Amino acid sequence: MKMEAQMISNLLPHRYPFLLLDQVIKLDPGKSAVGIKNVTINEPYFTGHFPGEPIVPGVLLVESLAQLTAVMYSTGHFPETIDWEHLESEEIDFRGVASKVGYLVNIKNIKFKQLVRPGDTLELRVYKKTQFENLSQIKVEAYVDGKNVVDGIISVSERP
Amino acid sequence: MELATKEQVLEYAKKRRMVCAAIKRIIVDQLCLDIEPEFITNDQPLFGRGLELDSIDALELAVGIFSEFSVTVSDGNSAVFSSVNTIADYIMSQDYDDSNLQPVD
C-alpha cells in the first residue's frame, strides 16, 4: 500500500506551503502509520533558518508527524471493505473526512536528536497509544537513514 | 463488595489509601505539576476550580491510570476524574493491577 501526495491532500485540509507529508507507505487505519517527507533546499524557510546553515525547524518536524497522525486517524473512519490499492475509485466523502481533522493539543517530551538538512528523507512513524473522548495520545518518531532524529509524544483532537 | 470481618475492612481501607496516594503521584508526575502529591486532598475538585485541570490533562490521567493500574477509563465516563476519591472508587470497582502500589503510613 502506498498513498501519494494527491490522495493525502484529499484527506487533510492542509495546503501549500503547509502540506508537510509526501507519502504514506504503511497504514493500519486508526492505529499506526509510516510516512515519508522529503526535504529539499527549495523549502522557503531555509532563507531564514538559517542563512548559510539550512536546518529544518523542529516544530515543522512535529507538524509533519501531526499530519501523518491525521491521516492515520481519519482513515480509521473508512469502511472496512475499502480497496486500499484503488482508493481514488472508491466513493468516499473526502471533504467530510478532511473536516474531521482537529488540532494539535499537546507536545510532550519531544527530543530532537539530530539536525535534519536538505536532501534528507524523513521516515515518520506514529502509533496511537490511548484515546479519551475526542483526544488521542500518539507516540511519534522520525528517522533519517535509519537513525532516530525525533522522538516523543503528541496529543491531537478530532472534530465530531 | 461485601466486607465481612474487621480485618477485611481494615485491609480494604489500607489498600484504598495506597490507591489514593498512587493517584496523587500520577497527577503530579503526568501533568508535571509543581506541587507535592500530598498537597492534593481526596475530595478536592480536579477540574474547573480546585486544581484547574482541563480535557488535555484528562487524557494524560487516563494514560497514567492505564499504565499504573491497567484500568481503562472509557469515553463518556469523564465524571470519574472529578476527584481523587472518584478515581479511587472507579479503579477499585474494576479488576485492577495492584502490583505497583507502594505502602503508605
Side-chain angles (χ1 to χ4, degrees):
Chain A
M1 188 239 113
K2 186 189 277 186
M3 191 187 284
E4 302 201 334
Q6 197 57 45
M7 180 53 66
I8 293 171
S9 67
N10 282 328
L11 300 175
L12 297 180
H14 309 72
R15 290 296 178 265
Y16 173 85
F18 221 71
L19 184 51
L20 302 178
L21 179 62
D22 295 334
Q23 274 183 358
V24 177
I25 56 173
K26 265 191 201 164
L27 182 63
D28 187 353
K31 294 189 183 122
S32 68
V34 181
I36 299 291
K37 160 73 187 158
N38 286 303
V39 181
T40 77
I41 187 62
N42 213 31
E43 312 279 354
Y45 48 75
F46 286 139
T47 318
H49 197 278
F50 297 96
E53 194 193 4
I55 294 167
V56 180
V59 285
L60 296 186
L61 298 174
V62 175
E63 177 61 25
S64 285
L65 288 158
Q67 292 184 11
L68 178 61
T69 301
V71 170
M72 183 266 285
Y73 74 71
S74 61
T75 51
H77 297 293
F78 285 6
E80 277 183 27
T81 53
I82 214 157
D83 178 4
W84 289 100
E85 301 302 323
H86 303 97
L87 260 191
E88 59 288 339
S89 56
E90 293 277 340
E91 284 191 18
I92 301 169
D93 171 18
F94 287 115
R95 194 170 292 187
V97 171
S99 70
K100 279 191 183 295
V101 172
Y103 302 105
L104 180 59
V105 299
N106 198 356
I107 297 179
K108 202 179 177 191
N109 283 346
I110 297 270
K111 273 189 182 171
F112 302 106
K113 300 182 167 188
Q114 202 174 293
L115 299 179
V116 179
R117 301 172 181 282
D120 286 346
T121 295
L122 284 158
E123 184 182 312
L124 312 164
R125 293 171 176 266
V126 300
Y127 319 83
K128 180 155 123 182
K129 285 165 54 110
T130 312
Q131 178 170 4
F132 183 67
E133 306 207 312
N134 65 335
L135 300 180
S136 303
Q137 194 167 79
I138 316 288
K139 169 83 183 136
V140 298
E141 295 167 358
Y143 294 83
V144 172
D145 294 331
K147 270 195 161 173
N148 185 213
V149 295
V150 183
D151 180 81
I153 291 168
I154 62 172
S155 301
V156 295
S157 70
E158 195 168 352
R159 293 198 225 192
Chain B
M1 69 184 278
E2 293 284 325
L3 295 173
T5 65
K6 186 183 168 194
E7 283 68 33
Q8 280 173 307
V9 174
L10 288 174
E11 185 58 31
Y12 181 83
K14 187 177 160 199
K15 204 141 196 201
R16 201 174 189 291
R17 282 203 302 277
M18 283 157 65
V19 169
C20 286
I23 293 166
K24 292 174 189 176
R25 189 172 39 72
I26 292 170
I27 293 172
V28 171
D29 288 354
Q30 203 76 19
L31 307 180
C32 306
L33 300 183
D34 195 17
I35 55 173
E36 292 298 318
E38 301 77 39
F39 177 78
I40 304 169
T41 57
N42 289 357
D43 269 326
Q44 181 177 358
L46 300 180
F47 293 84
R49 64 200 162 81
L51 271 189
E52 298 193 336
L53 305 189
D54 56 29
S55 59
I56 301 173
D57 299 321
L59 173 66
E60 293 290 332
L61 289 187
V63 170
I65 287 167
F66 181 77
S67 61
E68 181 92 6
F69 298 106
S70 304
V71 168
T72 312
V73 185
S74 54
D75 292 359
N77 216 347
S78 51
V80 166
F81 294 121
S82 302
S83 69
V84 171
N85 267 335
T86 57
I87 298 173
D89 288 343
Y90 178 74
I91 290 171
M92 296 189 79
S93 73
Q94 306 289 309
D95 182 19
Y96 70 104
D97 173 12
D98 60 3
S99 60
N100 297 319
L101 285 180
Q102 305 286 327
V104 285
D105 24 65

